[in-house]
Structure formats: C-alpha cells, structure tokens
Amino acid sequence: MKRFVYIDDDDLSNNIYCDNRISNRKYTVWNFLPKNLWEQFSRFMNQYFLLIACLQLWSLITPVNPASTWGPLIFIFAVSATKEAWDDYNRYLSDKKANEKEVWVVRKGIRKHVQAQDICVGNIVWLRENDEVPCDLVLIGTSDPHGLCYVETAALDGETDLKTRVVASACMGIDSELLHKIKGVIECPIPDKDIRRFDANMRLFPPFLDNDVCPLTIQNTILQSCYLRNTEWACGVAVYTGNETKLGMSRGIPEPKLTAMDAMIDKLTGAIFVFQIVVVIVLGIAGNVWKDTEARKLWYVQYPNEGPWYELLVIPLRFELLCSIMIPISIKVSLDLVKSLYAKFIDWDNEMVDPETGTPSHATNTAISEDLGQVEYILTDKTGTLTENKMIFKRCCISGTFHGNENEDGLKDPELLKAVASGSPDAIRFLIVMAICNTVVPVQSKAGAISYKAQSQDEEALVRAAARLNMVFLEKKGNILDINFNASLVQYEVMDTLEFTSERKRMSVVVRDCQNGNIILLSKGADEAILPHAHAGQQTRIFAEAVEQYAQLGLRTLCLAWRDLEEEEYHEWSLLFKEANSSLVDREWRVAEVCQRIEHGFEIIGVAAIEDRLQDAVPETIETLRKAGINFWMLTGDKQSTAIQIARSCNFVSPEPKGQLLLINGRTEDEVGQSLERVLLTMRITNAEPKDVAFVVDGWALEIVLKHYRKAFTELAILSRTAICCRVTPSQKAQLVELLKSCDYRTLAIGDGGNDVRMIQQADIGVGISGREGLQAARAADYSIGKFRFLKRLILVHGRYSYNRTAFLSQYSFYKSLLICFIQIFFSFISGVSGTSLFNSVSLMAYNVFYTSVPVLVSVLDKDLSERTVMQHPQILFYCQAGRLLNPSTFAGWFGRSLFHAIVVFVITIHAYAFEKSEMEEASMVALSGCIWLQAFVVALETNSFTILQHIAIWGNLVAFYVINWIVSAFPSSGLYTIMFRLCRQPSYWITIFIIVAAGMGPVLALKYFRYTYRSSKINILQQAERMGGPILSLGNIEPQSRSLDKDISPLSISQPKNRTSVYEPLLSDSPSATRRSFGPGAPFDFFQSQARLSSNYTRNCKDN
C-alpha cells in the first residue's frame, strides 16, 4: 500500500487524509459514562456484584436493604470512574496545547500562520530554531548552504545527542525564495510506527526537476515532537499528520501485565465462589425442607399453603445474597490504591537517585511492584547496563604491530606516535578510517572548540582518538569532510554511505579524495564481518589474534578495512545502489544485497580496541542478588571472548576451578545439536555438585537451537543458573525471555538502549536504565533507574515489602468478609434456615466500607525487617519467590481463623444476648462489636513495625466505631435507635467483648508464640536479633532445591523440565524448618549449619514449546 502526497496542492490532498489534530483521549463528554461503565462491567467480579445488587431489588428475597450492596458498589465505581476521568482530562489539556500551537505553513504559494491542528498533508511547513515539529515532514530546505539541519529526538526515541538530517537531493540548491512555489509528488508507504525507516521517492514537477525520481530515507525526514536545533530555519512537506504520524502510531496502551499474586488471588476468589455456591445450595435445600416440614406447623410464620412457581428459589436466592459478601467487594480498589503507593515509594526513594546525573528512579507501571519480590531470572544487556557506555580508545593493532599495554593506552604509545609523525602510510590510513567512517557530526563552539555528536559511543571514541593523534575531523559541509592532519587541511567527498545493520555487522562509506580524485571504500565492523572479506593475498591471522587478545581483556574490538575502487566499478555499483534505495518494496533487503557486491577484497588495516568500564558496584550487586536465589543471563551483541571476560569481572561466573563454562557452537544443524547434547550431558552430571556452571552460546548457534532443539535448550535453561548469549539480535533477546516465561519463571529484563525494548516489553518486569543511549528503554520499561546497582534495592527492599504487604492485605480482606458471612450462616440455624440477616443494612455497609478498611490500608507502612537487615541477608527473598506468604495453605489458615472467630463471636453473643435476654438489634450490635474488636487485634498482631499512623488507624478506628454508632443510635429511623446507648451502660456488654477477644485471640497468640519460639523461621530469628541488638554472623542458604530431572532423558529431549515439591504453610509461620537457638541480649546469632535447600511451595511444569 502506498500514499501519494502532492506538494502544496489542496485540491488533490484535501479530504483524503486526516488533519493534524492530535487526540490521545480515551473518552468524550458524551460517551464517558456508557463507555466507562462498559469497561468496568467487562470484569467478572463487577458483573457478579451487579447481579447481586439487582437481585436485592427484589423485595421478596432480599434479607437486607439494597443500599448495603448498592452503596459500596456505586462508591467503588465512582472512584474508578473519577480516576479515569481525571487522567483523560489531563490528556485532553495536553492535546489542546499541542493542537492550538501556532505554526507557519504555505498554501497556494502564500505563507500564513495557522494552528497546528489545521496542517494538512501536502502543506509546506516552516520551522524556526528551537521550534517543535508539529507533524512528520520530508525536508526540502534549510538555512544551511549544504542542506543540513540538526534535530533533537529525545521526545521520540529518548536519545539526547543531536541528529543530522539532510534535504532531499532533488531539492538541494533550490533558493529559499522559490521553496514556497515548489510542486511535486511524494510516493511513500502508508503510516507505520517504525521511526528508523522511511522508504519513499520524490518527483518534482518542472521547472524544478523534470520528473526524475529521488529516493528518500529517514535521513530526509524530521518527525513529530522533535526539536529543530542549531539551525536558523528549515521547511518540509507534511506527509503524515495527526494520529497517523510515526509517533502517533506508536502511542497506545500496553497490554496489562498480570502478577503472580494477582493470578493467585483470582484462583482463591474462584475457590471461594465455588464454596459459596455449595453453601447456598445446601442451605437452600435445608431451608425448603424445614419450611415444608416445620414452618407450616407454626401459626406465627404464616406460610401460605400454596406459593408461586418460583417459591423453591426464594430461600436459595436469599442465601446467595446473604453469602455474597464472602467475596470482598472492596478488594480490587484496595489493591489498586496500595499498589499506587508502592510505586510512589519507589519514586520517592532518595537512595535510588543517581548522584552523578540526579536521575531518580521511576515506576511507570503501578500494578506489578509485588512481582519484583518474586523475580527468579534476570536477563541483562551488557553495554550501558553493566558498563558505563563511556567508550575510551585503549589499544590498537596496525599492520601486525601492537600498540598499548597494561601500563599505558595506545594513544601514548611511542611507536604509534612516531609512526604518525613520520607519516607511515598504514598508520595514516588507519587514522583516516577512524576519523571519517562514521556518522559523527562535529559541532564548533563560538570559542572554536570542537565537540562531537554521535549516535554510537564507539564512533565518538574513535573520532576523539584520531583527533588526539592529529587527525582532527573539523567540519562537515554537506558531503565534504574537512580533516586537519598535522596542520594541513585534507578534504574528502562522501559519495555513498552503507549504513550499519545488525545483519551485516559493519558500516562503510565510499569517499573521493579531493586531492587526487581516488575513490576509496572505508569499512569498519565486527571481526566476523570484516576479516572473511579480506583480499586473497592478505594474511589475517595476526588480526584475528589481536581481536582475541583484546577480547580476553574485556575490550570491545572493531576491525578497520580499506579498498581502492576503480571509477568504472564504482559507477556501475552506484547505479545499482541508487536503484535499490529507490525501491519501495523490500528496500532494506535489496540495499543489503547491493552492499555485498562491493564490500569484499578488503585490505585489513588494523584492529581498534575500546574499553567500556563497569559501572560502580556491579559485581557486588550481582553477587547479592545471586545469594537471593536469582539466576542471571547476559544477552549481548558483543563477541564471545569480550562477553566472557566481562561476565567473569561481574561475578557472573566464578574463576576456575570452581566456575566452569560450557560452549555451544557450530555452523550447521548437526554441529550445534552435538554441541548442545554434550553440554546438556555435562550439566546433568554436574548439576548436583556445588559448581558454578554456565553455558555460552552465540547468535548463530542460538538461531539453530531455538528452531530445531527448543525442548533440549529449555531443559538446559532450567538446569543452568547462568547463561552468556553473544552476538544476539533484539528479536533473539525477546525469544529467550519468552522461553523462560513459558517455564513459568518470573523474569526481569534490564537494558538501556532501543535494541533492548523488545526484551523489556516481553519480560514480566521490564527495567530501563536512563543512560547515554537515551531514554528509549526507560520509557518502554515498567521501572526506570539511573544505574544497575539500584536494581538490588528495587528488588530486595521495594519488591519484598510490596509482596509481604499485598499478601497480608489480600488475605485479610477475605478474612473480614468470611467472618461476617459465617456469623450470618450460623444465625440461619436458629432462625429457621430462612436466610434472615442478623445485621441491618447500615451496619453491613459501614462494616465493608469504613470499619475494616481503614486499619489495613496503613499496612503499606509495615516492615517485618529493617532495610539494612534485608540488604545484608538477601537469602530471605526466597520466601517471596516461593510464594510462602500467599498460597492455598496460608489462605486456608486465614479461612480457618475466620471460621474460628465467627464461632467464638456467635456462640458467646447468642449465650449472652439471644432469645428472651434482649432484642435482636442488641445481639446484632454485640456481634458486630466483637468482630471489630477481633479485627483490631488481628491487624495489631500481624503488624511488625508500628508507627503513629498505624496506632491511629487501628485504635482510632475502634473509637470511630463507637462514635459513629452513638450518633446513628440517636436517630429513630436508623433501626438502631438507643441501641448503643443501652449497651455501653451495661457491664455485661464489656464483659462479653472481653470474653470474645480473649477466647478469639488467645489460641492465635499461643500458636504464634509456639511457632515463634520453638519452630522459628529464619525471618523470626532475624526479627529477634533486630529487637535485641545482636549481630548476625552468617545466614545459611535459603534456596529452592535443585530441580529434579529424569537422568534417563534421551538425548535432546525433556520429560519434566521443572519440578518443585509442594510445601504449604499457614501465615502464622514462615518456615517450620528452622531449629531453635538460645540467645541473650547482644549475643551473636549463627544461622543453620544445614546447607539443605528449602523446597518451593508449588509445582510448576514447563509448557511444551
């Protein structure tokens, strides 16, 4: 599909394409209410509560006032709708500001001022320096005589360095006064979101150019939301407008990520729903039986002899309404609220602010913080993530001569300095390739100082190194490059640029030496992309050895090559290159094919080695997270030797003999298969031994493995804690993330560049580093941090606290709902199994919305251990990874607690106040008071670190309960008239409350004390150590058991990839495996000599791929 854009011709362009109005709004004034309600009711839970609320409108079956359900339901919907409306209103204001911005356009040859939203496709738009680009433009003129302009693309791709854009060659040299009269047509693709690609053609109409086709690339465009910099003016033709721009097409709401805890809560909700249906059926049948056998004998019940056809459904439906509160209506709103607070805690954490740049951490996704505490695999990029991405030229090899050593870098090497000074041909050519085979833009300040703007840090390092060796890149005037070498000016004309691609792995330029007219092909790239293309007579062994030697030192290597071209050969090739560049179909493939025709017969000039230093505290961070049971995979585009060296220096792999590297290599399917089988057999043998074993695979072998041996590679991934993947492409990075996710592992991907975006978006959690490559990865990620070392705090502190708090909050929400529901069920047994409610509607509504919600929300401040202790003992993260605080077992503990407390409250209340002893309303209020008191003590018991806010929320809530009910009791119409006044004056009421609390909390406290004292978990002992001030000497391993795999697995096959023993445990204890330790104040603690690994809490099976 194509679109044809006619330049400044409204008759042909109008009403075909959209205008430039930007709209990121989700709603309008007219569709907000229906659309928002539709979205909210698309969720099963909301549909369920709506059904319950509608059934309560049927007066025959409702046991309580419909307001008890409609009130909370409307409140929750209103909160969600208000949040959506506020977010959408802010989007509207942002759109309005952009749409009403004034810009200059040319229409019918006349320049006029219009609002940005009125720009049409085909209009010529004029920009001034520092203007924001209002739509996607094809550049046709600039103030620069060579047709250049500079744009800042940070808003588009996050890259902070200025980019160079050039006027289309067909428009080069057209006078600025004639630009507003230009006519022609641009043939371009339909709108897409690829900001790296624009394959189009332009034809100008006479008198400007007689229909000659001019190819256009992304270098001839300036895209929406970029800024014009260091250029007085520029103008371009609007080709994509409004939401059809590349930025507009890239916008959109990412798919929501479901956390492991959310999935577990959904399963538990489903289980409660099934339990509720069973209870309703049983009680419904019992109620109908009692009605037919006993109730009709009682004159005061007044049941008619014959009822309507639906009479059998009345009692079951009553119990359905009565039991509907088993599923807490407020749980989603409560979880959304606390998750937003978790994200704010990350934003507000001053210890995660990069001191060098002042960059704070930021949580873009507010819904998955608890998943940080359950991470099992971290997949990380290398350059810019583990390293600083500050490239420094360190060493080089020129024509077999090595320059630089451990004591000094290559730029200070006396032999190299002498060779440059004496005009050695090999050294000069080496410097020429370094200086001009790139896309670097020199920028000269008013003081005359030259700085370089580069999209690649490698290129900037090479140009700076050449400048220090007197080959100074001065200026770029269109296609003319000015080079100052030893105080003499040398000029080169750039004929063609063969841009770098991840497939070719090299970049070349064709230049003409302006001094002698010779045409030269200069190239630089990876060793496997350059050395095999050397001319037949050249020996490349010395260069291969240099590459290997530098890689062993952890340096990045680039091979530099040179080739002289004949005029005729270049002319023939240039026609093919131009034709390929003009193609609108498969342009990238055709260009690559043409490049292959000329990129051969190289004379290898030398090898450059560049150092990229590790960031501060990277080894320590990886070591700490490894202790937490997290496995690491490094995914990098670097060569194997460099990646291995960096991995060793980062503590990815231990040195020999403890550490062992297993290589998967080969060029054919059979070779790779045999290599994989050897590695797999070795891994099975060594899996039970305490060895640090890692496997290494390159991109070529990985492609074969993922296509033909996916099952075997999946088994290998499960058996190995560490992997080093070299020469991998962005798509392969994403495939590896998907592979681990398919085995039900929680994955975290971290990177800093645009090539990491797919990996980051594919992972359960994506973390972007705001680095020198820009903000593209940070913007695509769920979390952004300034440095890799902050990942430790993000996971161990924020992830662990978020998991613990959410586990308590979710289970407590079910506990409070089940408690009141069980009391209602028990009451039915003394009320003829009729579905009558013990509590009135006002009490039920207040119970759900106010009395039980406020105390638990402050649990977001709770910390079971101090941050310092958590960072010192990362092994305790396993409790989160294994789901020890939220699983069917812990939920069963809360379920049992709610049932026990319901029995206590009901039995004591009935014996003290039921039957002829008092009114039903009094008994109801006593039972409700008992529930409120019990829950206050439950929250207090489960709170580990008290703050003033928690005390106010817990005990202040009790005071508020009595104040509210005193006020309600003053109104005759409330149904509670004088109830609280009478109860509070009765000593028996307070005695009953005391007995309820003592009977309800006594066994819970005793059980907790027993487990805390005699079957302490490691977390319990750390808590005791904190309270008594005793230091911790060591902490034993708390890791999952080695994954058991069938040793008789046939070669390259898998039977049971991942198996974890099922061990569940209630919330009252974290682990029964700890032995008791006697200690006194200040005494040191030594943890658990046993090295046995704890088993995980549930079995996961790797999905068959």
Side-chain angles (χ1 to χ4, degrees):
M1 295 290 291
K2 305 175 185 177
R3 76 161 40 179
F4 293 91
V5 177
Y6 292 90
I7 302 173
D8 194 22
D9 194 331
D10 293 342
D11 295 334
L12 292 173
S13 297
N14 268 354
N15 302 322
I16 301 178
Y17 310 117
C18 71
D19 60 18
N20 199 42
R21 185 185 302 273
I22 297 171
S23 179
N24 294 304
R25 296 175 62 188
K26 190 176 179 182
Y27 307 100
T28 67
V29 175
W30 306 110
N31 72 7
F32 172 76
L33 194 58
K35 189 173 181 179
N36 183 261
L37 288 176
W38 176 264
E39 288 176 352
Q40 296 210 51
F41 284 121
S42 64
R43 303 172 189 140
F44 171 75
M45 295 251 319
N46 289 346
Q47 294 172 7
Y48 169 76
F49 288 123
L50 179 64
L51 175 63
I52 296 300
C54 291
L55 286 174
Q56 286 191 341
L57 296 175
W58 188 4
S59 59
L60 182 64
I61 66 171
T62 181
V64 294
N65 192 306
S68 63
T69 299
W70 280 103
L73 189 66
I74 292 173
F75 174 77
I76 289 170
F77 281 6
V79 169
S80 297
T82 302
K83 179 180 179 296
E84 286 287 328
W86 177 252
D87 291 343
D88 207 53
Y89 179 69
N90 286 328
R91 288 192 288 267
Y92 162 74
L93 292 179
S94 176
D95 292 344
K96 186 173 184 289
K97 181 180 179 182
N99 288 331
E100 296 180 355
K101 190 174 295 183
E102 297 287 327
V103 295
W104 286 99
V105 301
V106 173
R107 286 182 179 167
K108 296 182 178 180
I110 302 173
R111 193 187 305 183
K112 59 175 67 174
H113 237 158
V114 300
Q115 290 186 343
Q117 63 188 356
D118 295 327
I119 296 174
C120 298
V121 170
N123 288 166
I124 298 175
V125 180
W126 287 74
L127 303 171
R128 299 287 181 182
E129 185 174 2
N130 298 323
D131 278 354
E132 182 180 2
V133 182
C135 58
D136 290 351
L137 306 175
V138 169
L139 201 60
I140 62 172
T142 74
S143 58
D144 185 84
H146 305 288
L148 297 178
C149 74
Y150 302 98
V151 293
E152 179 186 295
T153 61
L156 186 69
D157 58 14
E159 297 180 5
T160 54
D161 291 325
L162 297 183
K163 309 290 192 310
T164 307
R165 294 294 182 259
V166 62
V167 169
S169 59
C171 303
M172 195 72 71
I174 298 179
D175 189 84
S176 60
E177 296 298 324
L178 299 176
L179 285 174
H180 65 281
K181 298 178 182 180
I182 200 169
K183 296 289 183 179
V185 62
I186 298 173
E187 182 184 7
C188 59
I190 60 173
D192 61 57
K193 60 183 179 181
D194 189 350
I195 63 173
R196 307 286 180 187
R197 188 171 177 177
F198 180 72
D199 298 337
N201 292 322
M202 172 191 282
R203 293 198 314 273
L204 296 184
F205 299 154
F208 295 96
L209 198 67
D210 193 10
N211 284 322
D212 192 15
V213 175
C214 167
L216 302 174
T217 69
I218 198 68
Q219 295 297 319
N220 305 121
T221 66
I222 43 179
L223 303 181
Q224 185 187 45
S225 293
C226 296
Y227 285 85
L228 187 67
R229 303 294 192 200
N230 299 345
T231 308
E232 186 179 343
W233 61 265
C235 67
V237 179
V239 287
Y240 302 128
T241 52
N243 287 342
E244 291 185 345
T245 63
K246 289 186 178 289
L247 181 62
M249 298 290 286
S250 301
R251 293 191 188 105
I253 301 172
E255 292 186 10
K257 295 183 178 180
L258 183 69
T259 67
M261 294 196 79
D262 287 336
M264 179 58 69
I265 291 171
D266 288 346
K267 292 177 183 177
L268 297 176
T269 302
I272 289 296
F273 179 74
V274 172
F275 173 75
Q276 173 188 318
I277 296 300
V278 172
V279 169
V280 167
I281 292 173
V282 171
L283 293 179
I285 294 172
N288 280 315
V289 170
W290 186 87
K291 179 185 69 174
D292 293 335
T293 57
E294 301 294 332
R296 297 189 192 280
K297 300 176 184 178
L298 304 174
W299 62 269
Y300 54 83
V301 176
Q302 296 183 352
Y303 269 119
N305 292 328
E306 292 186 5
W309 62 270
Y310 53 79
E311 183 180 14
L312 288 176
L313 298 177
V314 171
I315 292 178
L317 287 175
R318 281 184 180 176
F319 277 110
E320 173 60 32
L321 297 180
L322 204 64
C323 296
S324 63
I325 58 174
M326 277 189 183
I327 300 175
I329 193 172
S330 61
I331 187 169
K332 183 181 183 302
V333 171
S334 299
L335 288 176
D336 287 347
L337 178 60
V338 298
K339 287 181 178 185
S340 298
L341 288 174
Y342 299 157
K344 286 299 179 185
F345 291 157
I346 294 173
D347 293 348
W348 296 335
D349 192 341
N350 290 329
E351 293 190 36
M352 292 176 63
V353 177
D354 184 5
E356 294 180 14
T357 62
T359 304
S361 57
H362 177 62
T364 305
N365 191 334
T366 62
I368 62 172
S369 294
E370 60 270 26
D371 247 9
L372 286 167
Q374 296 193 281
V375 170
E376 296 168 286
Y377 274 83
I378 293 178
L379 299 97
T380 175
D381 178 42
K382 182 184 75 67
T383 304
T385 304
L386 301 176
T387 62
E388 294 181 343
N389 202 18
K390 295 179 180 178
M391 307 299 180
I392 302 173
F393 182 90
K394 296 298 289 184
R395 302 187 186 187
C396 62
C397 172
I398 303 176
S399 298
T401 304
F402 288 80
H403 302 284
N405 51 48
E406 295 81 4
N407 300 322
E408 60 184 7
D409 61 39
L411 298 179
K412 298 178 182 177
D413 185 86
E415 289 187 25
L416 179 59
L417 295 175
K418 181 180 178 181
V420 173
S422 63
S424 167
D426 290 337
I428 301 305
R429 289 194 296 173
F430 186 83
L431 294 181
I432 289 173
V433 179
M434 287 174 60
I436 66 178
C437 184
N438 52 61
T439 57
V440 173
V441 178
V443 178
Q444 196 164 16
S445 67
K446 295 180 180 179
I450 298 175
S451 60
Y452 297 105
K453 300 293 184 182
Q455 299 179 37
S456 165
Q457 304 299 324
D458 293 305
E459 290 187 344
E460 183 179 350
L462 291 178
V463 173
R464 290 184 180 279
R468 289 184 58 185
L469 293 171
N470 298 327
M471 186 70 71
V472 183
F473 185 9
L474 290 178
E475 190 177 3
K476 188 173 186 178
K477 302 174 182 176
N479 290 334
I480 303 299
L481 309 180
D482 288 349
I483 307 294
N484 184 341
F485 178 61
N486 287 338
S488 62
L489 183 64
V490 183
Q491 290 187 325
Y492 291 90
E493 179 187 0
V494 179
M495 312 287 283
D496 290 293
T497 299
L498 287 62
E499 296 182 355
F500 174 87
T501 65
S502 57
E503 288 75 25
R504 287 171 49 246
K505 296 182 181 178
R506 59 179 174 265
M507 180 257 183
S508 304
V509 293
V510 179
V511 298
R512 185 188 295 274
D513 189 336
C514 295
Q515 282 65 241
N516 54 32
N518 292 339
I519 300 177
I520 314 163
L521 174 68
L522 309 178
S523 188
K524 73 174 190 304
D527 55 301
E528 69 265 30
I530 297 292
L531 298 183
H533 299 283
H535 65 78
Q538 185 173 19
Q539 292 293 326
T540 60
R541 184 174 56 85
I542 187 66
F543 299 108
E545 291 175 354
V547 168
E548 186 63 27
Q549 178 181 326
Y550 294 147
Q552 291 290 345
L553 298 173
L555 302 177
R556 296 164 61 87
T557 57
L558 286 171
C559 292
L560 280 58
W562 176 295
R563 182 187 173 205
D564 291 314
L565 298 178
E566 297 294 333
E567 190 81 35
E568 184 178 348
E569 180 189 6
Y570 168 71
H571 181 69
E572 292 178 359
W573 177 85
S574 180
L575 293 176
L576 294 174
F577 189 62
K578 184 177 180 180
E579 181 182 348
N581 270 316
S582 302
S583 173
L584 294 183
V585 179
D586 296 330
R587 177 183 291 188
E588 189 174 352
W589 178 82
R590 291 175 184 236
V591 168
E593 186 181 33
V594 173
C595 289
Q596 295 281 3
R597 292 172 178 251
I598 199 172
E599 290 179 320
H600 62 84
F602 287 133
E603 180 182 353
I604 311 301
I605 304 300
V607 178
I610 300 169
E611 181 185 53
D612 187 11
R613 295 173 182 166
L614 283 180
Q615 293 182 21
D616 292 339
V618 166
E620 294 82 359
T621 300
I622 292 175
E623 183 180 7
T624 300
L625 293 177
R626 277 194 173 286
K627 289 180 180 178
I630 297 175
N631 304 323
F632 274 86
W633 283 29
M634 179 196 289
L635 315 181
T636 177
D638 271 346
K639 69 182 286 80
Q640 190 177 95
S641 303
T642 303
I644 290 174
Q645 183 60 34
I646 293 296
R648 292 191 186 281
S649 61
C650 288
N651 285 336
F652 259 83
V653 184
S654 301
E656 295 286 356
K658 183 180 179 182
Q660 183 177 354
L661 287 176
L662 306 175
L663 303 181
I664 301 173
N665 48 34
R667 306 302 292 177
T668 66
E669 182 180 335
D670 290 338
E671 290 176 355
V672 172
Q674 292 171 6
S675 177
L676 176 60
E677 185 172 0
R678 284 195 300 271
V679 170
L680 198 50
L681 289 173
T682 305
M683 191 70 74
R684 290 169 184 162
I685 294 169
T686 60
N687 191 42
E689 300 176 11
K691 261 195 173 185
D692 188 3
V693 182
F695 71 86
V696 183
V697 62
D698 63 21
W700 182 273
L702 183 63
E703 185 175 353
I704 296 174
V705 162
L706 293 176
K707 185 176 181 180
H708 300 287
Y709 304 111
R710 191 178 182 90
K711 284 189 176 183
F713 187 71
T714 303
E715 180 189 347
L716 180 62
I718 293 169
L719 290 173
S720 176
R721 294 193 61 190
T722 306
I724 302 170
C725 304
C726 321
R727 298 296 196 200
V728 292
T729 63
S731 61
Q732 287 177 326
K733 291 182 179 182
Q735 284 180 292
L736 290 172
V737 173
E738 178 59 32
L739 180 80
L740 291 173
K741 285 177 65 178
S742 70
C743 297
D744 210 16
Y745 286 113
R746 307 309 289 182
T747 58
L748 182 149
I750 179 169
D752 73 316
N755 61 334
D756 301 317
V757 168
R758 291 183 63 181
M759 170 181 74
I760 286 171
Q761 293 177 333
Q762 184 68 49
D764 294 306
I765 304 166
V767 179
I769 291 184
S770 306
R772 290 171 61 85
E773 288 192 29
L775 303 174
Q776 198 170 355
R779 286 177 172 171
D782 302 304
Y783 301 91
S784 64
I785 55 179
K787 288 287 188 293
F788 183 84
R789 67 177 182 272
F790 299 135
L791 188 62
K792 176 170 65 175
R793 183 172 176 84
L794 184 68
I795 292 174
L796 297 182
V797 175
H798 293 287
R800 184 177 177 278
Y801 284 160
S802 298
Y803 172 83
N804 289 355
R805 294 159 179 169
T806 302
F808 169 68
L809 173 61
S810 56
Q811 293 177 117
Y812 172 84
S813 297
F814 281 105
Y815 158 79
K816 70 182 182 67
S817 296
L818 288 167
L819 171 60
I820 205 79
C821 190
F822 280 139
I823 293 174
Q824 296 272 54
I825 292 172
F826 296 150
F827 179 70
S828 69
F829 291 115
I830 64 171
S831 60
V833 201
S834 59
T836 304
S837 175
L838 174 62
F839 305 101
N840 66 24
S841 304
V842 175
S843 297
L844 282 176
M845 186 167 61
Y847 176 87
N848 280 318
V849 177
F850 301 111
Y851 299 152
T852 57
S853 296
V854 175
V856 75
L857 287 179
V858 294
S859 65
V860 296
L861 304 175
D862 189 38
K863 298 179 180 180
D864 61 337
L865 294 168
S866 68
E867 295 177 5
R868 180 171 172 267
T869 301
V870 170
M871 298 286 273
Q872 285 179 342
H873 304 287
Q875 297 94 321
I876 58 176
L877 186 70
F878 172 67
Y879 288 95
C880 301
Q881 293 169 327
R884 297 295 288 257
L885 299 186
L886 177 62
N887 54 57
S889 176
T890 60
F891 184 77
W894 282 96
F895 185 92
R897 186 186 293 188
S898 65
L899 180 60
F900 170 67
H901 283 169
I903 293 172
V904 168
V905 171
F906 181 75
V907 170
I908 294 175
T909 299
I910 293 303
H911 278 78
Y913 280 87
F915 306 110
E916 299 177 356
K917 300 172 187 175
S918 64
E919 301 175 10
M920 179 176 166
E921 286 77 8
E922 287 189 2
S924 169
M925 184 56 68
V926 173
L928 185 65
S929 302
C931 292
I932 301 300
W933 276 91
L934 279 176
Q935 286 168 63
F937 279 95
V938 166
V939 174
L941 182 66
E942 299 297 335
T943 300
N944 296 285
S945 59
F946 281 96
T947 64
I948 187 65
L949 283 177
Q950 287 163 301
H951 281 296
I952 291 174
I954 296 171
W955 312 118
N957 187 68
L958 272 176
V959 175
F961 167 75
Y962 285 99
V963 171
I964 291 172
N965 279 283
W966 268 67
I967 295 172
V968 172
S969 296
F971 295 96
S973 60
S974 65
L976 298 173
Y977 187 53
T978 71
I979 294 295
M980 189 56 77
F981 300 151
R982 284 179 278 159
L983 285 176
C984 289
R985 288 197 297 267
Q986 299 172 10
S988 60
Y989 168 78
W990 298 107
I991 293 172
T992 302
I993 295 298
F994 175 78
I995 294 173
I996 288 173
V997 172
M1001 296 305 299
V1004 176
L1005 282 168
L1007 183 59
K1008 185 133 187 161
Y1009 176 79
F1010 171 78
R1011 289 190 167 175
Y1012 192 82
T1013 306
Y1014 296 98
R1015 303 183 67 187
S1016 302
S1017 72
K1018 299 184 180 183
I1019 292 178
N1020 296 151
I1021 296 180
L1022 284 173
Q1023 289 171 334
Q1024 294 178 53
E1026 278 190 346
R1027 289 166 186 163
M1028 296 186 172
I1032 310 297
L1033 292 182
S1034 64
L1035 185 63
N1037 287 340
I1038 315 179
E1039 300 177 17
Q1041 290 180 350
S1042 300
R1043 298 173 180 85
S1044 58
L1045 287 160
D1046 188 355
K1047 299 297 180 182
D1048 298 325
I1049 296 176
S1050 58
L1052 304 184
S1053 66
I1054 299 179
S1055 62
Q1056 185 77 3
K1058 183 176 180 182
N1059 187 14
R1060 293 181 178 177
T1061 308
S1062 180
V1063 178
Y1064 293 114
E1065 191 169 51
L1067 185 67
L1068 292 175
S1069 171
D1070 294 310
S1071 171
S1073 61
T1075 55
R1076 186 185 176 194
R1077 291 282 180 262
S1078 58
F1079 48 87
F1085 301 94
D1086 189 9
F1087 272 108
F1088 321 113
Q1089 306 91 330
S1090 171
Q1091 295 296 311
R1093 298 176 175 181
L1094 294 177
S1095 59
S1096 174
N1097 69 318
Y1098 49 83
T1099 301
R1100 300 171 177 178
N1101 292 324
C1102 178
K1103 302 171 188 172
D1104 189 4
N1105 292 284

